[in-house]
Amino acid sequence: MTDLIRDLILRWRDDPAGTYQSWFLWDERLKNFRSIRRGLQLVVAEIAAGTFGVAYRGSSLETVVHSIAEQRQIFKGADHAFLWKPKLRIPDIYENPANQKAFGQLLDTCLCCNTEEHVVSAIHAIDARKIKGLGPAVANLLYFLHPTIMPPFNTAIVKGYNALTGSKVKLGRWEEYLAMRQGILKLNATYRALLSNDLGAIGGLLFDLGSGRYTAPPLEDNETARKLWEADLHQVREQSAKEARTLAAERETDHTHTEIQGWLRDLGLSLGYDVWIAANDRSRPWQDGKLGDGCLSVLPGFTTETQGAESVRLIDVLWLDQESHRIVAAFEVEHSTTIYSGIVRMLDLALGSAAQALEGMFLVAPDKREIDVREQLKRPAFSRIADLKVRYLPYGALEKDREAIRRFGHGLKPIQSISHLLAPV
């Protein structure tokens, strides 16, 4: 049985359309941890101040959960558990002040603590209150706070776990989730060399099993059952090869995140700016070298003690004045994801000490995403956008005009002329 699970993991890791390659190894995944933590801090602060409100729609919680739900297939539908169901009066954290405060205390405890003991204790405390409709779906929030302690949770993950282990975990109860969590930790320890300390990896495996992409190995020692399972695995492998070709064809007609960063890097350097590339992107291959070639290796003025420094270092591209070393322009490339993470990083920069020299903040995204971006900016959590004067820079305009700007442009005026303000209406 151990060998079969190992075979399954190896096949799954090589699957270009499985969650391991399409989500877990996704370049943007880690950037979202910081912004989701920041969003949950806002939820806690609003609950403590009594300003959270009595509705999910338009709340700071909706903004955070929405950004999680856009984390590709594994978290699709993550917001369903938090949607207010008026006839059932669940989840009962909107109209009941005591339950709302208890929910805020759970998040606050998990934001502040770092140990398994404290996190599990906080879960037991919220479970003891028996708040209607507030079950293990909350674990998806906690995963982004403690990815090595709390595995993600949804129906498909539970189904996958039951199929792989022969367990009968049920949905909706914290005690069932905690029991499953123990089993997941044991599985992960056994196959950690093929998975990760981050429980998102094994969560993705269970998701692909539970959603039907893969069939779990037979639990019984039966040669016929084993051959049938291997035939199913081979069929998935053939299907994965077809999907890989489809994905490759789609990428040929679209610009990659790295490509846009490369354009902005080269344009900034040609205009006489020093350029900073996001700390976790500098080593990406680009043209005949790396994306960080010719760019700053240290971001001036942002030490480990500087508030928000970690977030600012993850902004996709920064242009700095060569003499003053102050940040002049910031660019967040939102290729296919929610704008939430990028806006949080912009806020950390705009509200910090480097803001006084900042002349431009740009969301760079496909032309067709502007309507979606404007819709998202209507959320209360983005009310500061008008003050920040963030601008929308479409891929098409950047591609069309970047060469002319490089040859004849000066300062930020040409970039500003092909972009436009994103003040919500």
Side-chain angles (χ1 to χ4, degrees), residues 287-320:
Q287 294 179 338
D288 296 327
K290 295 182 178 179
L291 192 57
D293 290 349
C295 299
L296 297 170
S297 58
V298 176
L299 186 57
F302 287 87
T303 66
T304 54
E305 290 77 26
T306 306
Q307 185 176 5
E310 179 184 356
S311 181
V312 173
R313 288 195 189 98
L314 293 177
I315 291 177
D316 287 320
V317 181
L318 297 172
W319 290 356
L320 293 85

mmCIF file of all heavy atoms in Angstrom, residues 287-320:
data_model
loop_
_atom_site.group_PDB
_atom_site.id
_atom_site.type_symbol
_atom_site.label_atom_id
_atom_site.label_comp_id
_atom_site.label_asym_id
_atom_site.label_seq_id
_atom_site.Cartn_x
_atom_site.Cartn_y
_atom_site.Cartn_z
ATOM 1 N N GLN A 287 15.028 36.308 -20.772
ATOM 2 C CA GLN A 287 15.900 36.493 -21.926
ATOM 3 C C GLN A 287 17.155 35.623 -21.756
ATOM 4 O O GLN A 287 17.054 34.425 -21.582
ATOM 5 C CB GLN A 287 16.196 37.977 -22.110
ATOM 6 C CG GLN A 287 14.952 38.775 -22.479
ATOM 7 C CD GLN A 287 15.196 40.254 -22.641
ATOM 8 O OE1 GLN A 287 16.172 40.824 -22.116
ATOM 9 N NE2 GLN A 287 14.314 40.928 -23.373
ATOM 10 N N ASP A 288 18.347 36.217 -21.787
ATOM 11 C CA ASP A 288 19.568 35.414 -21.681
ATOM 12 C C ASP A 288 20.149 35.406 -20.272
ATOM 13 O O ASP A 288 21.283 34.963 -20.061
ATOM 14 C CB ASP A 288 20.636 35.947 -22.658
ATOM 15 C CG ASP A 288 20.212 35.797 -24.104
ATOM 16 O OD1 ASP A 288 19.500 34.817 -24.399
ATOM 17 O OD2 ASP A 288 20.576 36.662 -24.918
ATOM 18 N N GLY A 289 19.393 35.907 -19.312
ATOM 19 C CA GLY A 289 19.895 35.953 -17.942
ATOM 20 C C GLY A 289 18.794 35.751 -16.935
ATOM 21 O O GLY A 289 17.926 34.896 -17.107
ATOM 22 N N LYS A 290 18.829 36.576 -15.893
ATOM 23 C CA LYS A 290 17.816 36.509 -14.850
ATOM 24 C C LYS A 290 17.081 37.834 -14.763
ATOM 25 O O LYS A 290 17.608 38.884 -15.151
ATOM 26 C CB LYS A 290 18.459 36.173 -13.498
ATOM 27 C CG LYS A 290 19.082 34.792 -13.452
ATOM 28 C CD LYS A 290 19.669 34.493 -12.084
ATOM 29 C CE LYS A 290 20.256 33.085 -12.034
ATOM 30 N NZ LYS A 290 20.844 32.789 -10.701
ATOM 31 N N LEU A 291 15.880 37.787 -14.232
ATOM 32 C CA LEU A 291 15.045 38.978 -14.158
ATOM 33 C C LEU A 291 15.706 40.080 -13.336
ATOM 34 O O LEU A 291 15.531 41.263 -13.614
ATOM 35 C CB LEU A 291 13.687 38.599 -13.543
ATOM 36 C CG LEU A 291 12.561 39.628 -13.633
ATOM 37 C CD1 LEU A 291 12.280 40.015 -15.079
ATOM 38 C CD2 LEU A 291 11.301 39.073 -12.983
ATOM 39 N N GLY A 292 16.486 39.709 -12.339
ATOM 40 C CA GLY A 292 17.113 40.707 -11.471
ATOM 41 C C GLY A 292 18.409 41.281 -11.999
ATOM 42 O O GLY A 292 19.017 42.144 -11.341
ATOM 43 N N ASP A 293 18.864 40.848 -13.159
ATOM 44 C CA ASP A 293 20.123 41.358 -13.721
ATOM 45 C C ASP A 293 20.049 42.876 -13.932
ATOM 46 O O ASP A 293 19.082 43.391 -14.512
ATOM 47 C CB ASP A 293 20.433 40.675 -15.050
ATOM 48 C CG ASP A 293 20.818 39.212 -14.885
ATOM 49 O OD1 ASP A 293 21.039 38.794 -13.734
ATOM 50 O OD2 ASP A 293 20.850 38.480 -15.888
ATOM 51 N N GLY A 294 21.074 43.573 -13.473
ATOM 52 C CA GLY A 294 21.142 45.015 -13.652
ATOM 53 C C GLY A 294 20.298 45.800 -12.660
ATOM 54 O O GLY A 294 20.222 47.031 -12.744
ATOM 55 N N CYS A 295 19.670 45.090 -11.715
ATOM 56 C CA CYS A 295 18.787 45.751 -10.750
ATOM 57 C C CYS A 295 19.422 45.800 -9.362
ATOM 58 O O CYS A 295 20.451 45.169 -9.116
ATOM 59 C CB CYS A 295 17.447 45.014 -10.681
ATOM 60 S SG CYS A 295 16.553 44.993 -12.260
ATOM 61 N N LEU A 296 18.805 46.526 -8.476
ATOM 62 C CA LEU A 296 19.290 46.641 -7.108
ATOM 63 C C LEU A 296 19.220 45.299 -6.394
ATOM 64 O O LEU A 296 18.258 44.546 -6.567
ATOM 65 C CB LEU A 296 18.454 47.659 -6.337
ATOM 66 C CG LEU A 296 18.496 49.116 -6.828
ATOM 67 C CD1 LEU A 296 17.437 49.940 -6.120
ATOM 68 C CD2 LEU A 296 19.890 49.708 -6.607
ATOM 69 N N SER A 297 20.217 45.005 -5.595
ATOM 70 C CA SER A 297 20.204 43.785 -4.787
ATOM 71 C C SER A 297 19.740 44.066 -3.368
ATOM 72 O O SER A 297 19.386 43.160 -2.617
ATOM 73 C CB SER A 297 21.602 43.155 -4.748
ATOM 74 O OG SER A 297 22.553 44.079 -4.233
ATOM 75 N N VAL A 298 19.747 45.346 -2.993
ATOM 76 C CA VAL A 298 19.261 45.776 -1.678
ATOM 77 C C VAL A 298 18.332 46.965 -1.899
ATOM 78 O O VAL A 298 18.653 47.878 -2.668
ATOM 79 C CB VAL A 298 20.430 46.192 -0.751
ATOM 80 C CG1 VAL A 298 19.894 46.734 0.568
ATOM 81 C CG2 VAL A 298 21.360 45.007 -0.502
ATOM 82 N N LEU A 299 17.181 46.965 -1.224
ATOM 83 C CA LEU A 299 16.238 48.062 -1.371
ATOM 84 C C LEU A 299 16.575 49.158 -0.353
ATOM 85 O O LEU A 299 16.414 48.962 0.848
ATOM 86 C CB LEU A 299 14.809 47.557 -1.150
ATOM 87 C CG LEU A 299 13.679 48.551 -1.417
ATOM 88 C CD1 LEU A 299 13.747 49.079 -2.853
ATOM 89 C CD2 LEU A 299 12.319 47.910 -1.157
ATOM 90 N N PRO A 300 17.057 50.320 -0.813
ATOM 91 C CA PRO A 300 17.498 51.380 0.109
ATOM 92 C C PRO A 300 16.373 51.835 1.036
ATOM 93 O O PRO A 300 15.232 52.026 0.608
ATOM 94 C CB PRO A 300 17.906 52.516 -0.839
ATOM 95 C CG PRO A 300 18.199 51.849 -2.139
ATOM 96 C CD PRO A 300 17.249 50.704 -2.227
ATOM 97 N N GLY A 301 16.713 51.991 2.318
ATOM 98 C CA GLY A 301 15.761 52.523 3.281
ATOM 99 C C GLY A 301 14.812 51.512 3.888
ATOM 100 O O GLY A 301 13.988 51.867 4.731
ATOM 101 N N PHE A 302 14.921 50.239 3.472
ATOM 102 C CA PHE A 302 14.010 49.223 4.004
ATOM 103 C C PHE A 302 14.823 48.118 4.673
ATOM 104 O O PHE A 302 15.254 47.152 4.044
ATOM 105 C CB PHE A 302 13.132 48.647 2.887
ATOM 106 C CG PHE A 302 12.078 49.604 2.419
ATOM 107 C CD1 PHE A 302 12.357 50.533 1.427
ATOM 108 C CD2 PHE A 302 10.819 49.618 2.998
ATOM 109 C CE1 PHE A 302 11.390 51.436 0.996
ATOM 110 C CE2 PHE A 302 9.846 50.508 2.580
ATOM 111 C CZ PHE A 302 10.140 51.425 1.580
ATOM 112 N N THR A 303 15.028 48.293 5.961
ATOM 113 C CA THR A 303 15.731 47.292 6.756
ATOM 114 C C THR A 303 14.722 46.319 7.340
ATOM 115 O O THR A 303 13.514 46.467 7.166
ATOM 116 C CB THR A 303 16.515 47.962 7.895
ATOM 117 O OG1 THR A 303 15.580 48.560 8.812
ATOM 118 C CG2 THR A 303 17.441 49.042 7.358
ATOM 119 N N THR A 304 15.215 45.328 8.055
ATOM 120 C CA THR A 304 14.322 44.345 8.667
ATOM 121 C C THR A 304 13.430 44.986 9.727
ATOM 122 O O THR A 304 12.372 44.456 10.053
ATOM 123 C CB THR A 304 15.134 43.205 9.317
ATOM 124 O OG1 THR A 304 16.100 43.770 10.230
ATOM 125 C CG2 THR A 304 15.857 42.391 8.256
ATOM 126 N N GLU A 305 13.861 46.153 10.252
ATOM 127 C CA GLU A 305 13.073 46.828 11.287
ATOM 128 C C GLU A 305 12.022 47.771 10.696
ATOM 129 O O GLU A 305 11.125 48.231 11.399
ATOM 130 C CB GLU A 305 13.975 47.636 12.229
ATOM 131 C CG GLU A 305 14.856 46.790 13.153
ATOM 132 C CD GLU A 305 16.054 46.201 12.431
ATOM 133 O OE1 GLU A 305 16.484 46.807 11.419
ATOM 134 O OE2 GLU A 305 16.541 45.147 12.855
ATOM 135 N N THR A 306 12.121 48.089 9.404
ATOM 136 C CA THR A 306 11.192 49.023 8.790
ATOM 137 C C THR A 306 9.806 48.410 8.684
ATOM 138 O O THR A 306 9.648 47.301 8.164
ATOM 139 C CB THR A 306 11.675 49.422 7.377
ATOM 140 O OG1 THR A 306 13.017 49.910 7.447
ATOM 141 C CG2 THR A 306 10.769 50.498 6.792
ATOM 142 N N GLN A 307 8.796 49.131 9.182
ATOM 143 C CA GLN A 307 7.440 48.614 9.135
ATOM 144 C C GLN A 307 6.995 48.422 7.688
ATOM 145 O O GLN A 307 7.107 49.303 6.855
ATOM 146 C CB GLN A 307 6.479 49.581 9.839
ATOM 147 C CG GLN A 307 5.053 49.056 9.943
ATOM 148 C CD GLN A 307 4.153 49.983 10.731
ATOM 149 O OE1 GLN A 307 4.562 51.065 11.123
ATOM 150 N NE2 GLN A 307 2.936 49.552 10.977
ATOM 151 N N GLY A 308 6.460 47.228 7.399
ATOM 152 C CA GLY A 308 5.968 46.933 6.058
ATOM 153 C C GLY A 308 7.050 46.588 5.055
ATOM 154 O O GLY A 308 6.760 46.381 3.875
ATOM 155 N N ALA A 309 8.313 46.516 5.501
ATOM 156 C CA ALA A 309 9.425 46.278 4.567
ATOM 157 C C ALA A 309 9.283 44.955 3.829
ATOM 158 O O ALA A 309 9.536 44.871 2.626
ATOM 159 C CB ALA A 309 10.755 46.320 5.322
ATOM 160 N N GLU A 310 8.877 43.915 4.543
ATOM 161 C CA GLU A 310 8.734 42.594 3.918
ATOM 162 C C GLU A 310 7.736 42.646 2.773
ATOM 163 O O GLU A 310 7.951 42.057 1.709
ATOM 164 C CB GLU A 310 8.278 41.579 4.969
ATOM 165 C CG GLU A 310 8.068 40.173 4.416
ATOM 166 C CD GLU A 310 7.517 39.218 5.461
ATOM 167 O OE1 GLU A 310 7.375 39.638 6.633
ATOM 168 O OE2 GLU A 310 7.211 38.080 5.105
ATOM 169 N N SER A 311 6.638 43.371 2.976
ATOM 170 C CA SER A 311 5.614 43.486 1.950
ATOM 171 C C SER A 311 6.106 44.303 0.761
ATOM 172 O O SER A 311 5.907 43.923 -0.397
ATOM 173 C CB SER A 311 4.353 44.127 2.544
ATOM 174 O OG SER A 311 3.346 44.231 1.575
ATOM 175 N N VAL A 312 6.785 45.436 1.040
ATOM 176 C CA VAL A 312 7.262 46.307 -0.032
ATOM 177 C C VAL A 312 8.275 45.578 -0.910
ATOM 178 O O VAL A 312 8.299 45.752 -2.133
ATOM 179 C CB VAL A 312 7.862 47.601 0.559
ATOM 180 C CG1 VAL A 312 8.528 48.437 -0.537
ATOM 181 C CG2 VAL A 312 6.783 48.409 1.270
ATOM 182 N N ARG A 313 9.108 44.749 -0.302
ATOM 183 C CA ARG A 313 10.107 44.002 -1.081
ATOM 184 C C ARG A 313 9.467 43.024 -2.071
ATOM 185 O O ARG A 313 10.126 42.539 -2.978
ATOM 186 C CB ARG A 313 11.040 43.227 -0.145
ATOM 187 C CG ARG A 313 12.013 44.093 0.630
ATOM 188 C CD ARG A 313 13.119 43.235 1.237
ATOM 189 N NE ARG A 313 13.941 44.003 2.159
ATOM 190 C CZ ARG A 313 13.789 44.012 3.476
ATOM 191 N NH1 ARG A 313 12.836 43.266 4.023
ATOM 192 N NH2 ARG A 313 14.562 44.732 4.240
ATOM 193 N N LEU A 314 8.182 42.723 -1.874
ATOM 194 C CA LEU A 314 7.484 41.793 -2.760
ATOM 195 C C LEU A 314 6.698 42.500 -3.863
ATOM 196 O O LEU A 314 6.056 41.845 -4.688
ATOM 197 C CB LEU A 314 6.531 40.897 -1.956
ATOM 198 C CG LEU A 314 7.201 39.913 -0.998
ATOM 199 C CD1 LEU A 314 6.154 39.140 -0.207
ATOM 200 C CD2 LEU A 314 8.101 38.941 -1.757
ATOM 201 N N ILE A 315 6.736 43.836 -3.886
ATOM 202 C CA ILE A 315 6.109 44.560 -4.998
ATOM 203 C C ILE A 315 6.859 44.189 -6.275
ATOM 204 O O ILE A 315 8.085 44.143 -6.308
ATOM 205 C CB ILE A 315 6.139 46.080 -4.749
ATOM 206 C CG1 ILE A 315 5.193 46.418 -3.580
ATOM 207 C CG2 ILE A 315 5.730 46.852 -5.997
ATOM 208 C CD1 ILE A 315 5.204 47.887 -3.194
ATOM 209 N N ASP A 316 6.124 43.933 -7.342
ATOM 210 C CA ASP A 316 6.717 43.351 -8.551
ATOM 211 C C ASP A 316 7.872 44.170 -9.121
ATOM 212 O O ASP A 316 8.939 43.633 -9.410
ATOM 213 C CB ASP A 316 5.634 43.156 -9.620
ATOM 214 C CG ASP A 316 4.707 42.009 -9.284
ATOM 215 O OD1 ASP A 316 5.197 40.973 -8.788
ATOM 216 O OD2 ASP A 316 3.492 42.132 -9.506
ATOM 217 N N VAL A 317 7.669 45.465 -9.295
ATOM 218 C CA VAL A 317 8.729 46.319 -9.850
ATOM 219 C C VAL A 317 8.655 47.690 -9.174
ATOM 220 O O VAL A 317 7.568 48.262 -9.039
ATOM 221 C CB VAL A 317 8.576 46.499 -11.378
ATOM 222 C CG1 VAL A 317 9.718 47.378 -11.924
ATOM 223 C CG2 VAL A 317 8.565 45.160 -12.096
ATOM 224 N N LEU A 318 9.812 48.200 -8.763
ATOM 225 C CA LEU A 318 9.917 49.552 -8.221
ATOM 226 C C LEU A 318 10.955 50.327 -9.026
ATOM 227 O O LEU A 318 12.005 49.789 -9.375
ATOM 228 C CB LEU A 318 10.340 49.526 -6.745
ATOM 229 C CG LEU A 318 9.391 48.855 -5.750
ATOM 230 C CD1 LEU A 318 10.064 48.740 -4.383
ATOM 231 C CD2 LEU A 318 8.086 49.629 -5.636
ATOM 232 N N TRP A 319 10.651 51.586 -9.310
ATOM 233 C CA TRP A 319 11.627 52.482 -9.926
ATOM 234 C C TRP A 319 12.087 53.478 -8.868
ATOM 235 O O TRP A 319 11.268 54.072 -8.154
ATOM 236 C CB TRP A 319 11.006 53.247 -11.094
ATOM 237 C CG TRP A 319 10.707 52.396 -12.305
ATOM 238 C CD1 TRP A 319 11.001 51.078 -12.474
ATOM 239 C CD2 TRP A 319 10.054 52.834 -13.494
ATOM 240 N NE1 TRP A 319 10.566 50.655 -13.711
ATOM 241 C CE2 TRP A 319 9.983 51.716 -14.371
ATOM 242 C CE3 TRP A 319 9.520 54.045 -13.933
ATOM 243 C CZ2 TRP A 319 9.398 51.782 -15.631
ATOM 244 C CZ3 TRP A 319 8.938 54.127 -15.192
ATOM 245 C CH2 TRP A 319 8.881 53.005 -16.033
ATOM 246 N N LEU A 320 13.399 53.680 -8.759
ATOM 247 C CA LEU A 320 13.951 54.573 -7.743
ATOM 248 C C LEU A 320 14.813 55.656 -8.392
ATOM 249 O O LEU A 320 15.507 55.398 -9.396
ATOM 250 C CB LEU A 320 14.815 53.805 -6.732
ATOM 251 C CG LEU A 320 14.118 52.801 -5.813
ATOM 252 C CD1 LEU A 320 13.969 51.438 -6.499
ATOM 253 C CD2 LEU A 320 14.887 52.632 -4.513
#
